[in-house]
Amino acid sequence: MWQEAAYQVNELNWIYRQLKATGRGKHVGRFSYYHFALVDQVPGVTNRLAEVQQAVRAAPFPCNVLKLDSHSRISFLSYESFDAAFPALLACLACDVEQRTARHINYCVRRNPPILHRKELLLPATDPRVGSATRLTERLERVGAFRNPSSIGTRDGWRRRLSGLGIDIGAIERPLP
């Protein structure tokens, strides 16, 4: 059993190295996030992810973002459409490869779900949404919207920040052109 878990951790490390080599992704502390539009472009990664899901006995899970940590955990995240300016997290399948466990978290039932900032970093550089998302992020950086990021990780915190800066929340939250 330990050898199998060690093999899966090695697989996770291989996946991490392959995705990191793309030069894309959002990296926060020990976590890295990648949209599946990017993941699917890296040879061999999708098949190995399916093996990891199977190893922790997790049913296939519809997701659009992969979250890796620098140890033995991987999460399959389901966000609202990436056409939204700042998509909310809908659900998560969190897997611990070493412990061979998986748990499902439903964020749809939460009034104040986590949201995603800087989504352009997760997408392939060639994705048509990257340009408008980058411009929006740069505009919001200039007015200080991302200062003290610990207070803006949820929908309510983000709305309070934008409102405090005098930014039309409705205009920001509409899908990007």
Side-chain angles (χ1 to χ4, degrees):
M1 175 94 163
W2 179 85
Q3 287 178 328
E4 287 180 30
Y7 168 76
Q8 293 300 328
V9 170
N10 286 338
E11 287 294 286
L12 222 55
N13 289 331
W14 181 88
I15 292 167
Y16 177 79
R17 286 191 309 274
Q18 299 306 305
L19 292 171
K20 185 90 170 173
T22 66
R24 302 293 297 164
K26 179 178 173 183
H27 310 286
V28 181
R30 70 176 209 237
F31 302 107
S32 294
Y33 300 80
Y34 303 92
H35 192 280
F36 266 87
L38 176 66
V39 171
D40 291 341
Q41 291 180 358
V42 182
V45 170
T46 304
N47 290 339
R48 290 187 183 194
L49 286 172
E51 291 171 13
V52 169
Q53 264 188 310
Q54 186 176 8
V56 296
R57 296 178 185 84
F61 181 76
C63 60
N64 51 3
V65 172
L66 179 68
K67 175 184 175 185
L68 295 165
D69 84 0
S70 56
H71 304 295
S72 66
R73 293 187 185 105
I74 184 171
S75 297
F76 300 85
L77 308 176
S78 180
Y79 278 93
E80 292 175 325
S81 169
F82 262 52
D83 291 335
F86 298 96
L89 183 58
L90 303 173
C92 167
L93 176 67
C95 305
D96 186 316
V97 173
E98 227 169 30
Q99 300 299 316
R100 300 177 90 64
T101 60
R103 70 185 171 109
H104 183 267
I105 305 164
N106 182 1
Y107 290 94
C108 290
V109 297
R110 295 187 184 184
R111 185 192 61 75
N112 187 26
I115 60 162
L116 182 63
H117 304 97
R118 304 176 192 274
K119 69 180 182 182
E120 67 274 7
L121 301 174
L122 284 68
L123 295 163
T126 57
D127 189 289
R129 296 170 287 193
V130 169
S132 58
T134 300
R135 287 188 297 279
L136 178 57
T137 295
E138 289 170 349
R139 191 174 110 220
L140 291 170
E141 281 176 338
R142 284 192 298 274
V143 297
F146 297 109
R147 288 191 193 119
N148 189 16
S150 64
S151 65
I152 61 170
T154 61
R155 181 176 283 150
D156 289 350
W158 183 236
R159 287 177 176 168
R160 275 192 303 276
R161 173 66 52 86
L162 295 178
S163 178
L165 292 168
I167 296 171
D168 178 3
I169 295 166
I172 292 291
E173 292 181 346
R174 281 197 269 303
L176 296 171

